[in-house]
């Protein structure tokens, strides 16, 4: 039996002996919108909640996601920009800010990877730096004690917009709404305090109302004062199927039920072998992003089972701090990682070590990637040169009646165990 999973900008294939039955765990198949431009325009021009459009003479700041998110800006931005022009907002009064959070900053040469040429030729674009304290403004602290430092250029605008996707998130419950600005344009201290809540039992995939990390984000959004959100819901091919626009909190209320219906996948019982892909580029651009697929897939993998993660990771780990922390001193076991992380306290960057080891301590975690084998081992993952070799290696260790699951879009899949 042949199987194929996304990998970078292409795919990986392998053969399984015919005696095995493969169960595919993935979002519900949904055809793309036939006319995404009109779909988005209708959402923007018929907004959810009580919102006012920008006015002539106002400055506007638009928070957009970086290259690690497959946001269809080519469809989401035109109706927003057209509407502003109709309202009399001048092009020179509009600023795009790439919301990187603590991800590596994008250089101007990379902006074309996320923004169409006509936008780059017309509007000002900058990239957020969470460590640039000179360009952060302190707004106070949330009820949960998070000190809120936010990009000063964004706050200085008269009108603030966020653009993004609504999809499952391993500890925020769902992405979307104010998160692109509340985290993407926040200072490192703010992000660290918020992300430390991931250890709470309710900071989990698909949880929103009881999720302390996500509700903290909602409060940060209110403190910032975000006027308008445009969010897309994408199918497994990264194509728009729905669009939501308006008050960011109303957008989340409308979008979450549809995201849950799309991305949830029932699973009868855990698998002996899980073959997972984060979903290809840009979901597997680095370990930092691909780890989400590992977490989602591990949730339905048996303890002591095998999880093969197919993630190209052309940009390495995605965090120098994560690499340095794992190597100095060299971490020899997942237990050592978890013990050290608990002793030293939560810190963004090296939290990826905690997230990886939390799951890899329970399941045998294999990585098929473009990374050097020694580097992969230093991160306490087991490298394999290709998917076929990885599968053959795993099957030697598993019973002949092993249950095998395949998760081709793991970063965007909410697998739910039925027992």
């Amino acid at each position: 039996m042949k199987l194929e999973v996304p990998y970078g900008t292409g795919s990986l294939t392998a053969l399984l002996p015919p005696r095995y039955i493969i169960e595919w765990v993935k979002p519900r198949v949904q055809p793309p919108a036939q006319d995404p431009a009109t779909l988005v325009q209708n959402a923007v021009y018929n907004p959810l909640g009580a919102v006012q459009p920008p006015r002539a003479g106002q400055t506007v700041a638009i928070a957009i996601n970086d290259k690690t998110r497959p946001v269809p800006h080519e469809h989401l931005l035109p109706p927003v920009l057209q509407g502003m022009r109709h309202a009399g907002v001048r092009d020179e009064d509009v600023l795009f800010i790439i919301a990187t959070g603590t991800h590596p900053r994008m250089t101007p040469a990379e902006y074309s990877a996320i923004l169409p040429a006509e936008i780059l030729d017309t509007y000002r674009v900058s990239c957020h730096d969470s460590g640039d304290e000179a360009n952060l403004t302190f707004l106070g602290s949330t009820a949960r004690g998070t000190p809120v430092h936010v990009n000063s250029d964004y706050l200085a605008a008269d009108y603030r917009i966020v653009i993004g996707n609504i999809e499952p998130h391993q500890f925020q419950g769902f992405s979307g709404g104010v998160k692109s600005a509340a985290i993407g344009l926040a200072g490192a201290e703010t992000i660290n305090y918020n992300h430390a809540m991931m250890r709470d039992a309710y900071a989990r995939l698909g949880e929103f109302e009881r999720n302390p990390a996500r509700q903290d984000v909602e409060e940060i959004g209110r403190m910032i004062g975000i006027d308008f959100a445009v969010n897309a819901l994408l199918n497994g091919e990264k194509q728009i199927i729905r669009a939501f626009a308006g008050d960011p909190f109303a957008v989340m209320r409308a979008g979450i039920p549809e995201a849950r219906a799309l991305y949830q996948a029932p699973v009868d019982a855990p698998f002996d072998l899980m073959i997972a892909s984060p979903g290809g580029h840009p979901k597997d651009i680095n370990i930092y992003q691909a780890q989400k697929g590992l977490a989602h897939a591990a949730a339905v993998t048996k303890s002591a089972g095998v999880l093969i993660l197919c993630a190209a990771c052309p940009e390495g780990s995605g965090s120098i701090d994560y690499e340095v922390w794992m190597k100095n001193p060299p971490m020899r076991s997942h237990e050592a990682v978890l013990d050290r992380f608990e002793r030293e306290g939560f810190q963004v960057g090296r939290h990826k070590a905690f997230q990886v080891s939390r799951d890899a301590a329970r399941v045998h975690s294999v990585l098929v990637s473009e990374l050097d084998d020694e580097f992969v081992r230093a991160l306490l993952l087991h490298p394999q040169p290709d998917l076929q070799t990885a599968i053959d290696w795993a099957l030697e260790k598993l019973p002949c009646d092993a249950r095998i699951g395949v998760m081709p879009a793991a970063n965007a899949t909410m697998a739910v165990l039925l027992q």
Side-chain angles (χ1 to χ4, degrees):
M1 181 182 299
K2 182 179 180 180
L3 65 87
E4 183 175 2
V5 295
Y7 181 81
T9 57
S11 63
L12 295 179
T13 60
L15 295 175
L16 279 169
R19 69 175 181 273
Y20 292 105
I21 298 175
I22 297 176
E23 183 175 334
W24 292 82
V25 183
K26 58 184 180 179
R28 181 164 53 91
V29 175
Q30 187 81 8
Q34 292 185 350
D35 186 353
T38 299
L39 179 77
V40 176
Q41 180 175 305
N42 288 339
V44 171
Y45 288 4
N46 299 279
L48 300 167
V51 294
Q52 296 294 326
R55 303 186 306 274
Q58 286 188 316
T59 57
V60 177
I62 304 175
I64 59 171
N65 291 164
D66 65 12
K67 62 184 177 180
T68 65
R69 306 287 193 268
V71 180
H73 291 124
E74 69 277 13
H75 296 304
L76 300 183
L77 292 176
V80 174
L81 299 175
Q82 291 164 8
M84 290 194 298
R85 282 175 173 166
H86 291 160
V89 176
R90 301 183 306 170
D91 293 348
E92 56 265 37
D93 288 334
V94 178
L95 171 65
F96 285 89
I97 308 178
I98 301 172
T100 52
T102 54
H103 300 172
R105 294 188 70 202
M106 292 181 65
T107 65
E110 296 178 294
Y111 292 174
S112 60
I114 60 172
L115 286 172
E118 57 269 24
I119 288 178
L120 293 174
D121 292 340
T122 306
Y123 299 96
R124 293 177 295 137
V125 181
S126 68
C127 188
H128 177 64
D129 183 349
S130 64
D132 182 9
E133 296 184 2
N135 194 39
L136 296 172
T137 298
F138 180 60
L139 298 179
S141 297
T142 68
R144 292 175 175 80
T146 300
V148 180
H149 302 269
V150 178
N151 185 288
S152 298
D153 294 332
Y154 191 69
L155 290 174
D158 300 314
Y159 197 91
R160 306 178 191 102
I161 298 173
V162 288
I163 308 289
N165 295 335
I166 297 177
E167 61 182 7
H169 190 283
Q170 61 176 328
F171 69 87
Q172 294 283 357
F174 293 91
S175 64
V178 299
K179 183 176 176 291
S180 292
I183 295 298
L185 296 182
E189 184 183 22
T190 302
I191 298 169
N192 197 74
Y193 268 76
N194 173 268
H195 283 19
M197 299 178 199
M198 70 169 59
R199 294 173 290 183
D200 188 280
Y202 288 109
R204 62 193 183 204
L205 183 69
E207 183 66 61
F208 185 79
E209 297 293 345
R210 298 179 296 176
N211 189 325
R214 180 67 213 204
Q215 291 306 311
D216 194 56
V217 165
E218 297 297 295
E219 185 176 355
I220 294 171
R222 289 190 290 271
M223 293 170 71
I224 293 172
I226 299 170
D227 298 285
F228 202 83
V230 183
N231 282 176
L233 195 62
L234 308 183
N235 63 14
E237 305 300 318
K238 305 181 182 72
Q239 301 163 317
I240 295 179
I241 60 172
R242 284 296 309 275
F244 307 90
D247 172 76
F249 307 104
V251 163
M252 292 303 291
R253 286 194 296 272
I256 284 177
E258 296 208 28
R260 197 183 304 279
L262 174 67
Y263 295 121
Q264 273 191 349
V267 173
D268 291 331
F271 296 98
D272 298 284
L273 170 61
M274 170 58 75
I275 301 163
S277 163
H281 183 82
K283 298 293 189 179
D284 69 350
I285 195 170
N286 53 39
I287 293 288
Y288 207 93
Q289 297 304 318
Q291 175 275 326
K292 300 170 187 177
L294 176 71
H296 295 185
V300 288
T301 304
K302 285 183 180 179
S303 294
V306 178
L307 195 164
I308 300 171
L309 184 67
C310 303
C313 301
E315 296 191 4
S317 74
S319 171
I320 295 299
D321 182 69
Y322 169 32
E323 293 179 31
V324 171
W325 193 86
M326 287 295 293
K327 295 178 180 179
N328 294 296
M331 292 290 96
R332 303 300 186 189
S333 70
H334 296 297
E335 292 73 21
V337 167
L338 297 174
D339 289 345
R340 180 184 172 192
F341 190 81
E342 188 64 30
R343 289 196 313 272
E344 296 183 359
F346 190 92
Q347 188 67 41
V348 167
R350 62 194 68 176
H351 78 288
K352 281 297 162 182
F354 163 76
Q355 290 177 306
V356 168
S357 288
R358 176 190 57 195
D359 295 314
R362 189 179 63 83
V363 300
H364 298 293
S365 298
V366 176
L367 180 64
V368 178
S369 72
E370 298 175 2
L371 300 173
D372 178 77
D373 285 0
E374 184 177 347
F375 180 79
V376 173
R377 292 190 186 97
L379 300 182
L380 299 181
L381 296 170
H382 181 73
Q384 286 287 2
D386 55 68
L387 178 56
Q388 188 67 63
T389 303
I391 289 174
D392 293 344
W393 175 87
L395 292 180
E396 288 181 358
K397 302 178 179 301
L398 297 173
C400 60
D401 61 346
R403 294 189 70 245
I404 300 176
V406 181
M407 200 178 278
N411 280 29
T413 302
M414 299 168 56
V416 179
L417 280 172
L418 300 181
Q419 65 177 41

